[in-house]
Amino acid sequence: MKESRERRPESGEVPLRQDEGSDRPTALDLPSPPLSPEMAAYLDKCREKIGFVPNVLSAYAHDDAKLSAFAAFYNGLMLAPSGLSKLEREMIAVVVSAANHCFYCVSAHGAAVRALSGDPVLGDTLAVNWRAAHLSPRHAAMLAFAEKVAYGSFAIGEPDREALRLAGFSDVDIWDVAAVASFFAMSNRLASATGMRPNGEYFGMGR
Amino acid sequence: MKESRERRPESGEVPLRQDEGSDRPTALDLPSPPLSPEMAAYLDKCREKIGFVPNVLSAYAHDDAKLSAFAAFYNGLMLAPSGLSKLEREMIAVVVSAANHCFYCVSAHGAAVRALSGDPVLGDTLAVNWRAAHLSPRHAAMLAFAEKVAYGSFAIGEPDREALRLAGFSDVDIWDVAAVASFFAMSNRLASATGMRPNGEYFGMGR
Amino acid sequence: MKESRERRPESGEVPLRQDEGSDRPTALDLPSPPLSPEMAAYLDKCREKIGFVPNVLSAYAHDDAKLSAFAAFYNGLMLAPSGLSKLEREMIAVVVSAANHCFYCVSAHGAAVRALSGDPVLGDTLAVNWRAAHLSPRHAAMLAFAEKVAYGSFAIGEPDREALRLAGFSDVDIWDVAAVASFFAMSNRLASATGMRPNGEYFGMGR
Amino acid sequence: MKESRERRPESGEVPLRQDEGSDRPTALDLPSPPLSPEMAAYLDKCREKIGFVPNVLSAYAHDDAKLSAFAAFYNGLMLAPSGLSKLEREMIAVVVSAANHCFYCVSAHGAAVRALSGDPVLGDTLAVNWRAAHLSPRHAAMLAFAEKVAYGSFAIGEPDREALRLAGFSDVDIWDVAAVASFFAMSNRLASATGMRPNGEYFGMGR
Amino acid sequence: MKESRERRPESGEVPLRQDEGSDRPTALDLPSPPLSPEMAAYLDKCREKIGFVPNVLSAYAHDDAKLSAFAAFYNGLMLAPSGLSKLEREMIAVVVSAANHCFYCVSAHGAAVRALSGDPVLGDTLAVNWRAAHLSPRHAAMLAFAEKVAYGSFAIGEPDREALRLAGFSDVDIWDVAAVASFFAMSNRLASATGMRPNGEYFGMGR
Amino acid sequence: MKESRERRPESGEVPLRQDEGSDRPTALDLPSPPLSPEMAAYLDKCREKIGFVPNVLSAYAHDDAKLSAFAAFYNGLMLAPSGLSKLEREMIAVVVSAANHCFYCVSAHGAAVRALSGDPVLGDTLAVNWRAAHLSPRHAAMLAFAEKVAYGSFAIGEPDREALRLAGFSDVDIWDVAAVASFFAMSNRLASATGMRPNGEYFGMGR
């Protein structure tokens, strides 16, 4: 199927390279004010831990107070102790982001699922359609609820919450499933609406 | 059209009173841990300023750290200085919440639009369909963008952002429109998914 | 949250007043032919009973015969004896109108629900999302059917009708639920398509 | 493609005959009260003019007053003088009914388009997808507006009405386009929700 | 309802005749290269058997190899032995084509259903809404699955396949139901995207 | 973000490994009849050229004649000379497959885009949302048309085809864009409806 001469096709047009792109984290022309020492330290910690500053943080950095509030809110949701493991929260992130066709978030959180699970196929499956994955009843219930949060939250009712309880989730866990799924409904939209680009590093992570 | 004897209809069934409802802010059975002094003070300030603690905060109060992070994130977005007035941000909140049929958020932010604008009809109009409102070109562009964030963010592109620039929005303002609209995509979903009930006080506010 | 100085915001733009609007009942330039004595008397009765002529009637008044036929059809449906109380018919009206984001109809029939029920919260809840209301099994079944009429009538089948029978509705009642829900599918569209404006009186009714 | 032996297939199952159906006009068990002399005469006139009583009238006949009001409303809309010809009104009826996948209305009004136009292909085309028809600019504008009334009336605004004006429609004509399209949004839903069956006579009419 | 003078309406505009259309099978200007002897013979066999060359074949004839591959693929799917009768496969074709509002395919396969079943009403019913047809449990299950393939294949899972098994379909039969429904998802889109016109002969076939 | 100890989370449940899956190419229990010499040779050529037999072929192999027809049809569409390069055809495949959330096809054709373009990011971008890619005007027009084929073919008209002509596509090229996009509308549905699993080899291809 692959032939190297295809790269100079006899017909059609060679697509642009995706890495010859913008040097801005979004399609917006946002200011770069000096960061507070706390936020500068936080971004340094990112660089140290994962090797780069995720573009969502670079984008928020146009406003130091908002960067700080976003980071605290995000970390409390995704990294703090919870009845959901970090991987489970990332699984929800990927499923919602795939529903919303959000390139930034599928890239970043697909990488996180690969990294946390050690199973690259899991991330790739969830990034297209979670129904195609082999899932435990717990995870199937969790992702079905998350998908309904993404697509039709107005129709969620007691039977949907009861299905999670039957799958072993406590009421606090249900809050967390709802909160993570809802967070990515936000994050996906902010990324798409501002033309946010994923860092190149995400593509190879965990492969 | 109204006849008092109708309340005891000869046919059909009298609907349940809506205020004979639950004593919980959501449909979930969440814990009530003691609050930190900071958060206790914050909720006191709410009571003092608007007369009650919004149920979204009572619900978040099952986890002090999350309440704190949510309040900071929300206040930075909705109350901090911005190229958008507070009222404009509330107008976006109502339009997105109406798109998502979120009862909690339409009630709370519809009340805020009434209160901030002094025009009860504006809030009621946006709560059903912003296209029915008399709007300046700036506000029509802002709400059209917000609605697209709500319904089809995956299809947003440069022409959508350019339409906001033509209506006088700076790139930082565009971030703010996107961020507020996206925030309510989250908030609406969290409220619907957890069965969050609006405080009764919202219904009469600004009327 | 409300501060009077907000009305002169340091940023953004003050929204237009909604009551500084058009003096026409719709966005169309319709003629005002003389009314027949019957229709003149009918509109007088409206003024006497509810204090004003609903704009849907003023709009239909461009054609005396159509006004007459509409009034007879409407009154037979909404006011004649039925297994559904008048309030139940208005509840259906609001739910369908909310599904269709029809500003005229949510305003007019939301007011009717408030007036007939004496419960302003019921009207406001149905105007956003009936699932958020406390409902008896009868009303939940009735509104679920009405919503399916609004959104996906092509998929209605015997199981949907059977669910109404199980909730105590006779076959004539089912006709009435279907007829009222369908009527507002029409009314909502005519109002939106012609830019119909609700009378200002509706906003305060029953509050 | 056709082989008579196919009717006794070696595999699969022979479908039920569609004319071995119900003897009721709908799936509901509705009463048959005696008709008023006026309505009895009206149904007789139907039998005389088109050879049968359309099932929508037989269904409405469970309530003499409602039958009378429906007939007057329908006839005023579809048969009274208008800037739209009767055929144009039937074209709108078919397009909206196809959008709603309403079997009763596509059958009845497809037959009317065939009969009034003398062009069976026109009816068949509109019954599937009006975009596939050869249309004058006037008819293309009219049907595009009607389709938007059917699918997304909440998004109709001044530009949609202006497009009709540019195609030569007066404001009263726009009311009529909107009113006819909206009427079938009702009619389609009532027919589908009550399981209304088309009279067998419609299928061959105008072929 | 029909009056011959209506064809020269006092108002409105007479619609264009649908048979005064294009002489090309699609809206594209495709070449007419000489056919291979095999394909020339195949088209001759069509003319002999059904009296004309279906426009889908005339359109594919711009490329002899593609015509040949399409014919083989189509015939293997629709005419070869299968646990589904030819008529059942045509019923699926019509249901999917109606879901996609494809004028070419509803015309051609509606004609095939009429021809193979000898029941013109069956074809007309499926062409609008299969739920309105009298169907055996086998056919109801088959068409419900086909419709889900058309509208929401991403959500199909084991319960959907199990429903077919319960209705008596083998796993090979399920493949065939899926393959036929999927084929028309393709065919409908190719026809609509290229503006393919049905041959006039289809309209009268089987009536 | 990644911590190896996360794989044994203190909370939640470790997800199932995706490679401990089924040994069947689909969720159906299909027969394995002996292949014809031609088809056996064809599958051998696959093994030789890309190292394995794609599961779509293994699945079709339950019927030798259908496998043969599918392979000829597919190869004529995707590999034969065309005004579209092979890579452009694969780009369309990925965009349509992402719209349909088809795991098999996004995996297989995402791999093909990576292999043919030598740009892994291009494949990953198109697999989520083509609007996020850097595209030439030709490719943007081509993918916008393909997406409309996927989501709303019934609304395609001359302006859509004209947009492709303006971007330099001939009418035969437009056929090819439509044919490839339509093919994957089929392929995606067949894969989802039968529970087709991608070969593990696809995941690493071209990375």
Side-chain angles (χ1 to χ4, degrees):
Chain A
M1 210 171 275
K2 174 191 182 177
E3 301 171 61
S4 64
R5 71 178 173 281
E6 175 64 26
R7 293 190 197 160
R8 272 169 249 92
E10 71 295 344
S11 65
E13 195 178 276
V14 177
L16 302 179
R17 298 289 307 185
Q18 296 306 305
D19 41 12
E20 292 163 357
S22 167
D23 53 349
R24 296 186 311 199
T26 69
L28 299 174
D29 187 12
L30 300 171
S32 301
L35 291 173
S36 63
E38 291 76 17
M39 284 301 104
Y42 178 65
L43 298 192
D44 282 346
K45 213 173 82 181
C46 286
R47 272 181 214 102
E48 185 191 322
K49 230 178 144 178
I50 59 167
F52 59 96
V53 176
N55 274 344
V56 66
L57 299 182
S58 304
Y60 260 113
H62 78 273
D63 182 319
D64 195 83
K66 284 180 181 163
L67 171 60
S68 168
F70 175 80
F73 188 57
Y74 178 87
N75 292 338
L77 185 74
M78 296 298 285
L79 304 176
S82 158
L84 308 181
S85 71
K86 286 174 198 167
L87 173 53
E88 287 173 334
R89 286 175 269 177
E90 292 290 348
M91 290 167 71
I92 294 172
V94 173
V95 165
V96 172
S97 303
N100 289 322
H101 294 288
C102 176
F103 181 48
Y104 182 87
C105 303
V106 169
S107 302
H109 297 279
V113 167
R114 292 194 301 269
L116 290 169
S117 69
D119 181 356
V121 182
L122 178 65
D124 284 358
T125 310
L126 299 181
V128 182
N129 191 335
W130 65 272
R131 283 180 186 78
H134 297 300
L135 296 172
S136 68
R138 171 182 170 90
H139 289 160
M142 176 181 87
L143 297 180
F145 189 92
E147 189 187 63
K148 193 164 182 181
V149 170
Y151 280 136
S153 59
F154 81 99
I156 291 182
E158 206 50 28
D160 300 292
R161 289 182 285 267
E162 202 55 32
L164 284 186
R165 289 185 193 108
L166 285 172
F169 292 90
S170 72
D171 275 30
V172 174
D173 293 345
I174 295 174
W175 174 277
D176 286 354
V177 174
V180 173
S182 299
F183 180 86
F184 287 94
M186 171 176 74
S187 216
N188 296 168
R189 282 169 173 79
L190 183 59
S192 292
T194 61
M196 198 177 284
R197 311 264 330 148
N199 305 63
E201 286 85 349
Y202 283 124
F203 300 113
M205 257 175 84
R207 294 204 180 272
Chain B
M1 212 171 274
K2 173 189 182 175
E3 301 171 62
S4 63
R5 73 178 171 280
E6 174 65 26
R7 294 193 196 159
R8 274 169 249 90
E10 71 296 345
S11 65
E13 194 178 276
V14 176
L16 302 179
R17 297 290 305 184
Q18 297 306 304
D19 41 13
E20 292 163 359
S22 167
D23 53 348
R24 295 186 310 200
T26 69
L28 298 174
D29 188 12
L30 300 171
S32 301
L35 290 174
S36 63
E38 291 75 17
M39 284 300 104
Y42 178 66
L43 298 191
D44 281 345
K45 213 174 84 182
C46 286
R47 272 181 214 102
E48 183 192 323
K49 231 179 141 178
I50 59 168
F52 60 96
V53 176
N55 274 344
V56 66
L57 300 182
S58 304
Y60 260 113
H62 77 274
D63 183 319
D64 195 83
K66 283 181 182 164
L67 171 60
S68 168
F70 175 79
F73 188 57
Y74 177 86
N75 293 337
L77 186 73
M78 296 298 285
L79 303 176
S82 158
L84 309 180
S85 71
K86 287 174 198 166
L87 173 52
E88 287 173 334
R89 286 174 271 179
E90 292 290 349
M91 290 166 70
I92 295 172
V94 173
V95 165
V96 171
S97 302
N100 289 322
H101 294 289
C102 176
F103 181 48
Y104 182 87
C105 303
V106 168
S107 302
H109 297 279
V113 167
R114 291 194 301 269
L116 289 170
S117 69
D119 181 357
V121 182
L122 177 65
D124 284 358
T125 310
L126 299 182
V128 182
N129 191 336
W130 64 271
R131 281 180 187 78
H134 298 299
L135 296 171
S136 67
R138 171 183 170 91
H139 289 160
M142 177 181 86
L143 297 179
F145 189 92
E147 189 186 63
K148 193 163 182 182
V149 169
Y151 280 135
S153 60
F154 82 99
I156 291 182
E158 207 51 28
D160 299 293
R161 290 183 284 267
E162 202 56 30
L164 284 186
R165 288 186 193 110
L166 285 172
F169 291 89
S170 72
D171 276 29
V172 174
D173 294 345
I174 296 175
W175 175 276
D176 286 355
V177 174
V180 173
S182 298
F183 179 86
F184 287 95
M186 171 176 73
S187 216
N188 296 168
R189 283 170 173 78
L190 184 58
S192 293
T194 62
M196 199 177 283
R197 310 264 330 147
N199 305 64
E201 287 85 348
Y202 284 124
F203 300 114
M205 256 176 84
R207 294 202 179 274
Chain C
M1 214 172 273
K2 173 190 182 175
E3 300 173 63
S4 64
R5 73 179 170 281
E6 174 64 27
R7 293 190 198 162
R8 274 170 248 91
E10 71 296 343
S11 65
E13 194 177 277
V14 177
L16 302 179
R17 297 290 306 185
Q18 296 306 304
D19 41 13
E20 291 162 358
S22 166
D23 52 349
R24 294 187 311 200
T26 68
L28 298 175
D29 188 12
L30 300 171
S32 301
L35 290 174
S36 63
E38 291 73 20
M39 284 300 104
Y42 178 66
L43 299 192
D44 281 345
K45 212 174 83 183
C46 285
R47 271 181 214 103
E48 184 191 322
K49 230 179 143 179
I50 59 168
F52 59 96
V53 176
N55 274 344
V56 67
L57 299 182
S58 304
Y60 260 113
H62 77 273
D63 183 319
D64 195 82
K66 283 180 181 163
L67 171 60
S68 168
F70 175 80
F73 188 57
Y74 177 86
N75 293 338
L77 186 74
M78 296 298 286
L79 304 176
S82 159
L84 309 180
S85 71
K86 286 173 198 168
L87 173 52
E88 287 173 335
R89 286 175 270 178
E90 292 290 348
M91 290 167 71
I92 295 172
V94 173
V95 164
V96 172
S97 302
N100 288 323
H101 294 289
C102 177
F103 180 48
Y104 182 87
C105 304
V106 169
S107 302
H109 297 279
V113 167
R114 291 194 301 268
L116 290 169
S117 69
D119 181 356
V121 181
L122 178 65
D124 285 357
T125 310
L126 299 182
V128 182
N129 191 335
W130 65 271
R131 283 181 185 77
H134 299 298
L135 296 172
S136 67
R138 171 183 170 90
H139 289 160
M142 177 182 86
L143 296 179
F145 190 92
E147 188 186 64
K148 193 163 181 181
V149 170
Y151 281 136
S153 60
F154 82 100
I156 291 182
E158 207 49 28
D160 300 292
R161 289 182 285 266
E162 202 55 32
L164 284 186
R165 289 186 192 109
L166 285 171
F169 291 90
S170 72
D171 275 29
V172 174
D173 293 345
I174 296 175
W175 174 277
D176 286 354
V177 174
V180 173
S182 298
F183 179 87
F184 286 94
M186 172 177 72
S187 216
N188 296 167
R189 282 169 173 78
L190 183 59
S192 292
T194 61
M196 199 177 283
R197 311 266 329 150
N199 304 64
E201 287 85 348
Y202 284 125
F203 300 113
M205 257 175 82
R207 294 204 179 272
Chain D
M1 212 171 275
K2 173 190 184 177
E3 301 171 61
S4 64
R5 72 180 172 279
E6 174 66 25
R7 295 195 194 154
R8 273 170 248 92
E10 71 295 345
S11 66
E13 195 177 275
V14 177
L16 303 178
R17 296 290 307 184
Q18 296 306 305
D19 41 13
E20 292 163 357
S22 168
D23 53 349
R24 295 187 311 202
T26 68
L28 299 174
D29 188 11
L30 300 171
S32 301
L35 289 174
S36 63
E38 292 74 19
M39 284 301 104
Y42 178 65
L43 298 192
D44 282 345
K45 213 175 82 182
C46 286
R47 272 181 214 102
E48 183 192 322
K49 230 179 142 179
I50 59 168
F52 60 95
V53 176
N55 274 344
V56 66
L57 299 182
S58 305
Y60 260 113
H62 78 272
D63 182 319
D64 195 83
K66 283 181 181 163
L67 171 60
S68 169
F70 175 80
F73 187 57
Y74 178 86
N75 292 338
L77 186 73
M78 296 298 284
L79 303 176
S82 157
L84 308 181
S85 71
K86 287 173 198 167
L87 173 52
E88 287 173 335
R89 285 174 270 177
E90 292 290 349
M91 290 167 71
I92 294 173
V94 173
V95 165
V96 171
S97 302
N100 288 324
H101 294 288
C102 176
F103 181 48
Y104 182 86
C105 304
V106 169
S107 302
H109 296 279
V113 167
R114 291 194 301 268
L116 290 170
S117 69
D119 181 358
V121 182
L122 178 65
D124 285 358
T125 310
L126 299 182
V128 182
N129 191 335
W130 64 272
R131 282 180 186 78
H134 298 298
L135 296 171
S136 67
R138 171 183 169 91
H139 290 160
M142 177 181 87
L143 297 179
F145 190 93
E147 188 187 65
K148 193 164 182 181
V149 170
Y151 280 135
S153 60
F154 81 100
I156 291 182
E158 206 50 28
D160 300 292
R161 290 182 285 267
E162 202 55 32
L164 284 186
R165 290 187 193 108
L166 285 171
F169 292 89
S170 73
D171 275 30
V172 174
D173 293 344
I174 295 175
W175 175 277
D176 286 355
V177 175
V180 173
S182 298
F183 180 87
F184 286 94
M186 172 176 73
S187 216
N188 296 166
R189 282 170 172 78
L190 184 59
S192 292
T194 61
M196 197 176 284
R197 310 265 329 148
N199 305 64
E201 287 85 349
Y202 283 125
F203 300 113
M205 256 175 84
R207 293 202 180 276
Chain E
M1 212 171 273
K2 172 191 184 176
E3 302 171 60
S4 64
R5 71 180 172 280
E6 175 65 25
R7 294 193 196 155
R8 274 170 248 91
E10 71 295 344
S11 65
E13 193 177 278
V14 177
L16 301 180
R17 297 289 307 183
Q18 296 306 304
D19 41 13
E20 293 163 357
S22 168
D23 52 349
R24 295 186 311 200
T26 68
L28 299 175
D29 188 12
L30 299 171
S32 301
L35 291 173
S36 63
E38 291 74 19
M39 284 301 103
Y42 178 65
L43 298 191
D44 281 345
K45 212 173 83 181
C46 286
R47 272 181 213 102
E48 184 191 322
K49 231 179 143 178
I50 59 167
F52 60 96
V53 176
N55 274 344
V56 66
L57 299 182
S58 304
Y60 260 114
H62 78 273
D63 182 320
D64 195 84
K66 283 181 181 162
L67 171 60
S68 169
F70 176 80
F73 188 57
Y74 177 86
N75 293 338
L77 186 74
M78 296 298 284
L79 304 176
S82 158
L84 309 179
S85 71
K86 286 174 198 168
L87 174 52
E88 287 173 335
R89 287 175 269 177
E90 292 290 348
M91 290 167 70
I92 295 172
V94 173
V95 165
V96 171
S97 302
N100 289 322
H101 294 288
C102 176
F103 180 48
Y104 182 88
C105 304
V106 168
S107 302
H109 297 279
V113 167
R114 292 194 301 269
L116 290 170
S117 69
D119 181 356
V121 182
L122 178 65
D124 284 358
T125 310
L126 299 181
V128 182
N129 191 335
W130 66 270
R131 281 180 187 78
H134 299 299
L135 296 172
S136 67
R138 171 183 170 91
H139 288 161
M142 176 181 86
L143 297 179
F145 189 93
E147 189 187 65
K148 192 163 182 182
V149 170
Y151 281 136
S153 59
F154 82 100
I156 292 182
E158 207 50 28
D160 300 292
R161 288 182 286 266
E162 202 56 30
L164 284 185
R165 288 186 193 108
L166 286 171
F169 292 89
S170 72
D171 275 30
V172 174
D173 293 345
I174 295 174
W175 174 276
D176 286 354
V177 174
V180 173
S182 299
F183 179 87
F184 286 95
M186 172 176 72
S187 217
N188 296 168
R189 283 169 172 78
L190 183 58
S192 292
T194 62
M196 197 177 285
R197 311 264 331 148
N199 304 65
E201 286 85 349
Y202 284 124
F203 300 113
M205 256 175 84
R207 294 203 179 273
Chain F
M1 211 172 274
K2 172 190 182 176
E3 302 172 60
S4 63
R5 73 178 171 282
E6 174 64 27
R7 294 193 195 156
R8 275 170 247 91
E10 71 295 345
S11 64
E13 195 178 275
V14 177
L16 302 179
R17 296 290 305 183
Q18 296 306 305
D19 41 13
E20 292 162 359
S22 167
D23 53 349
R24 294 187 311 199
T26 68
L28 299 174
D29 188 12
L30 299 172
S32 301
L35 290 174
S36 62
E38 291 73 20
M39 284 301 104
Y42 178 65
L43 298 191
D44 281 346
K45 212 174 85 182
C46 286
R47 272 181 213 102
E48 184 191 321
K49 231 180 141 177
I50 59 168
F52 60 96
V53 176
N55 274 344
V56 66
L57 299 182
S58 305
Y60 260 113
H62 77 273
D63 182 320
D64 195 83
K66 282 181 181 163
L67 171 60
S68 169
F70 175 79
F73 187 58
Y74 177 86
N75 292 338
L77 186 74
M78 295 299 284
L79 303 176
S82 157
L84 309 179
S85 71
K86 287 174 197 166
L87 173 52
E88 287 173 335
R89 286 175 270 178
E90 292 290 349
M91 290 166 71
I92 294 171
V94 173
V95 165
V96 171
S97 302
N100 289 322
H101 294 288
C102 176
F103 181 48
Y104 181 87
C105 303
V106 168
S107 302
H109 297 279
V113 166
R114 292 195 301 269
L116 289 170
S117 70
D119 181 357
V121 181
L122 178 65
D124 284 358
T125 310
L126 299 182
V128 182
N129 191 335
W130 64 271
R131 282 180 186 78
H134 299 299
L135 296 172
S136 66
R138 171 183 170 91
H139 289 160
M142 177 181 86
L143 297 179
F145 189 93
E147 188 186 65
K148 192 163 182 183
V149 170
Y151 281 135
S153 58
F154 82 100
I156 291 183
E158 206 50 28
D160 300 292
R161 290 182 285 266
E162 201 56 32
L164 284 186
R165 289 187 193 108
L166 285 171
F169 291 89
S170 72
D171 275 29
V172 174
D173 294 344
I174 296 174
W175 174 277
D176 286 355
V177 174
V180 173
S182 298
F183 179 88
F184 287 94
M186 172 177 73
S187 216
N188 295 166
R189 282 169 173 79
L190 183 59
S192 292
T194 61
M196 197 177 284
R197 310 265 329 148
N199 304 65
E201 287 85 349
Y202 284 124
F203 300 114
M205 255 175 84
R207 294 202 180 275

